Amino acid sequence: MNRTVRAAVCSVAVTGLALGLSSCSEAVDQVDKAVDETYEVTYEVTGKNVDSIEFHGGGGKAMEPKIESVSKPELPWKKTVTLRGIMPAAVMPVAADPEGAQVTCKIIHKGKVLEEQSADGLVTAGGCTAESPITK
């Protein structure tokens, strides 16, 4: 009998969690549509031996941003993009080099550094993500 009750409680909890996550995603989409304000950020990547850079380029939705990519970028690399609403700014340089790699990324908004990260090593997947300044 205890096993049956426990299974029923777990089933209800998992169903509630799934519905809650679905509702949360729907709420984020509604807020994303309502907050139509845009903002600009500049991504900067420096270092050596960077193979590629992926970044939020401004398209898509807050929970599913369009990711753009640059292969074998010339460093230092800089890109200014316009994002909308609650979409976070994000830039992800990737380096894999037997001689070692160095990567630093920055996200800048109105002259202020929102996020900065650095990494060294044989395989480096550094990255910077910053909350939308509209939400502050």
Side-chain angles (χ1 to χ4, degrees), residues 3-79:
R3 225 182 260 192
T4 304
V5 171
R6 201 172 334 160
V9 169
C10 287
S11 177
V12 169
V14 169
T15 301
L17 179 60
L19 292 174
L21 291 176
S22 173
S23 296
C24 180
S25 178
E26 290 172 17
V28 168
D29 286 345
Q30 288 175 357
V31 170
D32 189 36
K33 287 178 186 173
V35 180
D36 204 30
E37 188 177 342
T38 61
Y39 68 99
E40 275 191 355
V41 293
T42 299
Y43 301 129
E44 292 183 3
V45 176
T46 58
K48 67 177 188 174
N49 303 327
V50 173
D51 295 313
S52 66
I53 301 170
E54 293 187 346
F55 59 95
H56 291 176
K61 298 188 302 184
M63 295 299 283
E64 297 170 7
K66 179 182 177 194
I67 298 175
E68 297 184 25
S69 183
V70 177
S71 294
K72 300 291 182 191
E74 186 176 318
L75 298 178
W77 178 85
K78 186 185 280 193
K79 175 84 173 179

Side-chain angles (χ1 to χ4, degrees), residues 90-105:
V91 60
M92 294 128 315
V94 177
D97 190 286
E99 302 298 316
Q102 297 173 328
V103 176
T104 297
C105 62

